[in-house]
Every structure is written in structure tokens, then in C-alpha cells.
């Protein structure tokens, strides 16, 4: 009987009390973090952003080499690489809204939340600086030597999302809330061991495909930030790099300029996806 129990535990990936990769990812790395967790989160989020922002730069600066589909693939498979890089170490937290949801559900201690977000923001900020350095001459060539926020040669959209003219502030907010809720709901489904989870070893790929699907089906309205860690740090970087305070501009609802970027909506949307 004892041997049968051991074999059963072994088949479920729980031998010796160890959790599966899916458990770690579902719980955001609770109890599975190793040394220098902030470095692990930055290491996961940095490559994801480099791949994603680099694909946006290609689409914006030279349509011969870039496309909307390329942007979706860049971000999606960037997430896949991030999960492979930090899935075992920290649960591959690359989204502050997902981290918040896991804390709200008790899967991750609240004391870890600031450290998670710090790592995510650091990786995202450094990724923006990397893309700026690599594409600096292309950016200046495209815009005629100016760092533009608006107009036909605006380049700030490489780094952060901005509402198009047909979207109001509140519609953009609800759009991001909905998309982030869908992201969180599907993430739980992918790793739900009691239902129909992704096959062992395929979680990173399936999560990357999920990101691609979300971006393909609903990316037009707001740029599908669905992640405070994806939008705010690069926006701050563009402010420092010379695009100026217009990166925090607002319209449709004067006085709420900090809501013009979708930092708050993913946090709420993540909780709605529970």
C-alpha cells in the first residue's frame, strides 16, 4: 500500500512534497523562490519586453520588416521565454495584476507583492532603455531628429500604449479591465490540475499562445497593455529620455491624466477574472 501511494505521488509530480511547475506558476512562486528573487523577476520580464518592444519598433519605424502580427508574436513568445527563464525560480511573475490576484487569493503572501512588482518594473524599465539604445538612430531618422509624442512621426508608442482618438478614457479603462480579466481566467484554466490543464512541459508555450490570441482579437482599442508592469515603467523612461511630460497627457476627462495610461484597469481586471 505504501509503495502504491509513493508511485501515485510520483506520477503527480509531488514526490517528497515537491510541487509541479504548474503549481509554482499558479501560486506565483509562493514558497519556491530562490536567491535574489527580484533579479529573477527582472530576468523574466526584461526579455519579454525586449522582444515585444523590439517588434513594435520594427512595425512603426519600418513596415517592410515589421507588422501587427509580428508585434503579437513578439510579445507572446517573449512571455514564453520569460516563463522558461524564471518559472521554477519565482513562478515567472511578469504582470503586476496577476501578482495582485494571487495575493488576493492567498496563493502568495502580501509581503512578497512589493518585491514582485519591483522586479517587474525594473525589468520593464531596463528593457525600454535597451530598445531605446538599439533603435536610437532609427527613431531619430524616422522622426526627423525629434522625439515626438503626437503626429504622423510620433515614436513614443514604441514604449507605451496610448488611446486612439475614437476611444474615451472610460471605454479604454473598461477595455483593459475586460482583457486582463480574460487573461487571468485563462491562466487559471491552463494550470488547473482539477480540470483540463496544459500538458506537462507545455505551460510556457500555451501561455505565450494565450497572449498572442488576446492581442490578435482585441488589440485595436487600447494597445492591449493588460499589465501595469508593461506600460508604466517604459512610460516613465520615455519621460526621462526626452519625450517630455506629454507622455502623461490626457484628453476626454481633464484632471485624471494619470488614468490615461491603463495602469489601474489591469489591477481591477485581474481580480474580476478570479
Amino acid at each position: 500500500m505504501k509503495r502504491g501511494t509513493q508511485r501515485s505521488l510520483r506520477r503527480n509530480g509531488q514526490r517528497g512534497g515537491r510541487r509541479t511547475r504548474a503549481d509554482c506558476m499558479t501560486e506565483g512562486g509562493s514558497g519556491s523562490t530562490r536567491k535574489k528573487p527580484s533579479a529573477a523577476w527582472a530576468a523574466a520580464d526584461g526579455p519579454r519586453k525586449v522582444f515585444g518592444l523590439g517588434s513594435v519598433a520594427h512595425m512603426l519605424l519600418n513596415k517592410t520588416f515589421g507588422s501587427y502580427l509580428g508585434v503579437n508574436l513578439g510579445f507572446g513568445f517573449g512571455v514564453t521565454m520569460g516563463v522558461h527563464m524564471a518559472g521554477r525560480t519565482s513562478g515567472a511573475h511578469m504582470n503586476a495584476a496577476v501578482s495582485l490576484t494571487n495575493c488576493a487569493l492567498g496563493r502568495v503572501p502580501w509581503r512578497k507583492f512589493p518585491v514582485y512588482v519591483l522586479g517587474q518594473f525594473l525589468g520593464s524599465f531596463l528593457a525600454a532603455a535597451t530598445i531605446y539604445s538599439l533603435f536610437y538612430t532609427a527613431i531619430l531618422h524616422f522622426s526627423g531628429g525629434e522625439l515626438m509624442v503626437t503626429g504622423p512621426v510620433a515614436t513614443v508608442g514604441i514604449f507605451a500604449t496610448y488611446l486612439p482618438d475614437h476611444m474615451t478614457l472610460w471605454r479604454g479603462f473598461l477595455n483593459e479591465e475586460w482583457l486582463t480579466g480574460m487573461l487571468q481566467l485563462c491562466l487559471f484554466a491552463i494550470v488547473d490540475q482539477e480540470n483540463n490543464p496544459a500538458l506537462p512541459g507545455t505551460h510556457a508555450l500555451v501561455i505565450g499562445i494565450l497572449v498572442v490570441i488576446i492581442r490578435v482579437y482585441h488589440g485595436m482599442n487600447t494597445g492591449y497593455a493588460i499589465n501595469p508592469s508593461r506600460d508604466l515603467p517604459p512610460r516613465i523612461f520615455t519621460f526621462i529620455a526626452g519625450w517630455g511630460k506629454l507622455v502623461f497627457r490626457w484628453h476626454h476627462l481633464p484632471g485624471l491624466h494619470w488614468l490615461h495610461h491603463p495602469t489601474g484597469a489591469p489591477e481591477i481586471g485581474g481580480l474580476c477574472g478570479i
Side-chain angles (χ1 to χ4, degrees):
M1 182 68 179
K2 184 176 180 181
R3 291 181 180 178
T5 302
Q6 289 177 342
R7 284 196 297 269
S8 176
L9 291 174
R10 205 175 296 124
R11 283 195 299 268
N12 289 305
Q14 298 173 342
R15 185 179 182 184
R18 295 182 62 184
R19 299 173 303 162
T20 64
R21 180 187 297 269
D23 293 330
C24 294
M25 291 173 61
T26 305
E27 300 180 15
S30 177
S32 64
T33 55
R34 299 173 186 173
K35 296 180 179 180
K36 300 181 179 179
S38 291
W41 296 316
D45 204 43
R48 174 186 69 91
K49 288 288 293 180
V50 167
F51 295 148
L53 297 185
S55 62
V56 176
H58 277 78
M59 181 184 70
L60 180 63
L61 302 177
N62 192 325
K63 298 189 185 305
T64 301
F65 297 100
S67 66
Y68 180 69
L69 178 60
V71 172
N72 299 325
L73 294 175
F75 274 105
F77 288 109
V79 169
T80 295
M81 294 300 105
V83 173
H84 277 299
M85 294 180 71
R88 284 290 188 185
T89 304
S90 67
H93 271 236
M94 294 175 278
N95 189 325
V98 173
S99 300
L100 177 67
T101 303
N102 278 276
C103 290
L105 290 175
R107 298 172 182 270
V108 177
W110 281 104
R111 60 183 172 79
K112 291 187 177 182
F113 180 70
V115 187
Y116 272 66
V117 175
L118 175 63
Q120 295 160 8
F121 275 43
L122 176 62
S124 191
F125 186 90
L126 293 177
T130 300
I131 293 300
Y132 175 76
S133 299
L134 294 175
F135 289 90
Y136 177 73
T137 55
I139 291 172
L140 294 183
H141 177 75
F142 176 81
S143 61
E146 299 290 336
L147 299 178
M148 303 298 295
V149 177
T150 60
V153 292
T155 51
V156 74
I158 294 173
F159 302 93
T161 60
Y162 293 85
L163 289 180
D165 292 335
H166 70 271
M167 289 291 291
T168 63
L169 176 65
W170 294 114
R171 284 184 180 276
F173 187 89
L174 292 174
N175 190 91
E176 289 298 316
E177 181 183 4
W178 164 257
L179 291 180
T180 308
M182 289 295 293
L183 171 68
Q184 184 64 81
L185 178 64
C186 292
L187 284 176
F188 283 147
I190 289 170
V191 299
D192 185 2
Q193 298 300 312
E194 301 299 324
N195 188 20
N196 186 26
L199 296 175
T202 67
H203 293 89
L205 178 61
V206 174
I207 291 172
I209 294 174
L210 167 64
V211 173
V212 172
I213 293 172
I214 289 176
R215 294 174 182 276
V216 167
Y217 104 93
H218 214 111
M220 181 182 72
N221 284 339
T222 57
Y224 43 70
I226 61 174
N227 183 358
S229 307
R230 174 259 183 271
D231 189 87
L232 185 56
R235 191 180 299 268
I236 295 173
F237 173 80
T238 55
F239 171 73
I240 296 172
W243 274 270
K245 62 182 181 181
L246 278 178
V247 300
F248 298 112
R249 76 186 189 278
W250 75 96
H251 57 76
H252 304 302
L253 196 57
L256 295 179
H257 56 288
W258 279 98
L259 285 179
H260 185 76
H261 59 82
T263 298
E267 301 286 3
I268 299 175
L271 295 175
C272 290
I274 298 175

